[in-house]
Amino acid sequence: MAFIHLDIGCLYAILICTAFGSTLSSNAEIKVNPPQDFAIADPGYLGYLCFQWQPPLSLGKFKECTVEYELKYRSIDSENWKTIITKNLYYKDGFDLNKAVEAKIRTLLQGQCTSGSAVQSSWSEATYSTSPQGNLETKIQDMDCIYYDWQYLLCSWKLGIGVHFDTNYNLFYWYEGLDCALQCADYMKGNGKNIGCRFPYLESPDYKDFYICVNGSSKSQLIRPSYFIFQLQNIVKPSPPDYLSIIVKNSEEINLKWSMPTGPIPAKCFIYEIEFTEDDTTWVTTTFENEIYITRTSNKSQQLCFLVRSKVNIYCSDDGIWSEWSDKQCWKGDIWKETLLFFLIPFAFVSLFILLIICLLLYNQNTLLKMVFHTKKEVFSHQETLF
């Protein structure tokens, strides 16, 4: 009986090992090739690149499997890879072309043909970079772009360092929705050189990458191009608020109010910064409304002033540019007393002067009447003497 029991135990062990070994052997035999013809294509959109590839060889025998591709990419100087899992044969994204781009891709298999386990191919790699030309110093300097009132885009720059007299720069731009990259049609000039661009009306450029390239030309030297990527809603600079009012409702409560900046920016997209001064004390606060109530620190304060500026808030953009400060609006305490004194003192002087003149006239008139009566009396006396 012990011998039979041992044989059955051995049989079970043999069957398990055989099944496990068969599975390992089956999985070990499944191999898949990496995608073919992996490349990074530049369609001429100033940094918007396309990763493209073809299915791997011998993929037909894996019809029962799910085939996906794992794509990793980054700028050369970045430590972190961005990873995408897709079933498509292409993927697009934007890059700063001042830096080279590297990417790698592999095939992923999972499903019945792999007994539920994941099978990965080796990596296929590709790189892309623009052909460097010209010295680094020949690039434009201090590029600055501002989207005024969420309507008018203006970019300005300074000339490269040590560039020759005949050097000039040109700006090109593209964003998703344009058929091709466009050149600036309205340059700002400085000493005959292009130092900025006034953009035309842009249709639906918000919440998408806006690509800019500024390159240069010179007969005597090569000029290094510069590439930039903006999100226009993040560089909006509103107009300053206006029509400020300050109302002291009682001895303590103060109401500060102003109108929204002009332009198409929705009211919900503003944040305001208020600088408030009470006599010699100044403090700053922020609010999402175009009105705020504050409390006076002292009932004896004689002057209250404030000014305000605006910016697009975090609910409508990741960043923004503060507007210029508004004109200052002030309130002065006991102004009615000052006004009263201003009018009463001159009025008192004028009244006193007029009263003095009247008194003098009355005095002179009284003296004159006495003289007349005295003269008449003498005349009458003289007549009586004669008769």
Side-chain angles (χ1 to χ4, degrees):
M1 291 295 293
F3 179 75
I4 296 173
H5 179 73
L6 178 62
D7 285 345
I8 294 174
C10 290
L11 181 61
Y12 279 131
I14 292 170
L15 289 173
I16 291 172
C17 290
T18 303
F20 184 70
S22 176
T23 301
L24 288 176
S25 176
S26 176
N27 285 343
E29 292 175 358
I30 297 176
K31 292 183 179 180
V32 63
N33 293 317
Q36 299 183 87
D37 303 327
F38 180 48
I40 305 174
D42 185 355
Y45 295 153
L46 314 179
Y48 190 63
L49 303 180
C50 179
F51 303 97
Q52 54 191 30
W53 58 91
Q54 294 299 320
L57 294 171
S58 305
L59 194 61
K61 60 183 179 180
F62 302 115
K63 292 181 180 180
E64 296 180 352
C65 269
T66 300
V67 180
E68 294 180 320
Y69 303 99
E70 181 182 6
L71 171 67
K72 290 180 175 288
Y73 60 89
R74 65 180 180 180
S75 294
I76 290 291
D77 63 343
S78 175
E79 296 181 357
N80 301 319
W81 292 88
K82 187 173 181 179
T83 303
I84 299 296
I85 305 295
T86 180
K87 295 180 180 180
N88 297 324
L89 297 176
Y90 66 91
Y91 186 78
K92 299 177 181 180
D93 203 353
F95 296 88
D96 177 2
L97 292 188
N98 296 303
K99 308 168 186 176
V101 177
E102 62 178 341
K104 56 185 179 180
I105 192 171
R106 64 184 177 183
T107 308
L108 303 178
L109 283 182
Q110 191 168 1
Q112 294 182 4
C113 63
T114 63
S115 301
S117 60
V119 176
Q120 303 168 345
S121 74
S122 59
W123 291 101
S124 179
E125 299 180 352
T127 60
Y128 177 82
S129 63
T130 57
S131 300
Q133 61 177 15
N135 295 327
L136 189 62
E137 293 79 10
T138 61
K139 296 172 59 173
I140 61 167
Q141 308 292 314
D142 301 333
M143 179 69 158
D144 184 32
C145 291
I146 299 177
Y147 199 25
Y148 289 97
D149 293 325
W150 212 312
Q151 278 184 306
Y152 311 106
L153 178 61
L154 188 147
C155 291
S156 60
W157 59 83
K158 295 179 182 177
L159 304 183
I161 300 173
V163 295
H164 294 173
F165 179 78
D166 66 339
T167 301
N168 207 353
Y169 295 92
N170 297 292
L171 180 146
F172 298 84
Y173 65 96
W174 181 86
Y175 61 92
E176 194 170 358
L178 296 180
D179 294 331
C180 60
L182 301 178
Q183 184 177 2
C184 175
D186 185 11
Y187 285 107
M188 297 183 291
K189 301 284 187 177
N191 297 322
K193 308 295 183 183
N194 297 335
I195 59 169
C197 176
R198 300 181 188 88
F199 288 77
Y201 171 75
L202 302 171
E203 185 175 355
S204 302
D206 313 323
Y207 302 103
K208 59 183 70 172
D209 287 336
F210 192 95
Y211 300 88
I212 291 178
C213 173
V214 181
N215 59 21
S217 60
S218 171
K219 294 181 180 179
S220 52
Q221 66 180 147
L222 295 174
I223 305 300
R224 180 75 64 92
S226 298
Y227 296 90
F228 306 90
I229 304 175
F230 296 100
Q231 288 263 330
L232 295 191
Q233 75 277 359
N234 294 336
I235 56 171
V236 171
K237 183 177 182 178
S239 299
D242 53 11
Y243 301 110
L244 279 65
S245 68
I246 179 168
I247 301 173
V248 180
K249 293 201 168 187
N250 50 49
S251 60
E252 294 183 352
E253 190 178 47
I254 302 171
N255 174 234
L256 308 179
K257 195 173 183 179
W258 54 91
S259 66
M260 286 189 345
T262 57
I265 306 175
K268 65 181 181 180
C269 289
F270 282 113
I271 184 173
Y272 302 97
E273 186 174 69
I274 302 97
E275 183 180 286
F276 181 76
T277 302
E278 184 175 357
D279 289 338
D280 297 327
T281 304
T282 299
W283 52 270
V284 176
T285 187
T286 57
T287 178
F288 291 98
E289 305 295 333
N290 63 326
E291 183 177 17
I292 188 172
Y293 289 89
I294 60 175
T295 303
R296 292 171 69 177
T297 58
S298 172
N299 294 337
K300 296 181 180 180
S301 54
Q302 296 299 307
Q303 180 168 285
L304 308 172
C305 293
F306 83 104
L307 35 79
V308 66
R309 62 179 180 173
S310 61
K311 188 176 80 167
V312 177
N313 62 39
I314 59 173
Y315 300 109
C316 296
S317 69
D318 296 327
D319 201 356
I321 303 172
W322 283 108
S323 73
E324 301 299 324
W325 285 103
S326 67
D327 294 332
K328 183 183 290 187
Q329 179 71 18
C330 291
W331 173 89
K332 292 184 178 181
D334 297 332
I335 192 170
W336 64 272
K337 292 182 180 178
E338 296 179 9
T339 305
L340 188 62
L341 289 174
F342 178 79
F343 286 103
L344 279 180
I345 291 174
F347 180 76
F349 277 111
V350 171
S351 300
L352 184 61
F353 179 75
I354 293 174
L355 183 61
L356 181 61
I357 295 296
I358 292 173
C359 290
L360 288 174
L361 289 174
L362 290 175
Y363 175 78
N364 290 336
Q365 185 179 15
N366 186 38
T367 304
L368 182 62
L369 288 173
K370 286 182 179 180
M371 291 177 60
V372 171
F373 287 136
H374 180 69
T375 304
K376 287 185 177 181
K377 184 176 181 181
E378 288 181 351
V379 170
F380 287 140
S381 298
H382 181 68
Q383 287 178 352
E384 288 177 357
T385 304
L386 290 175
F387 289 104

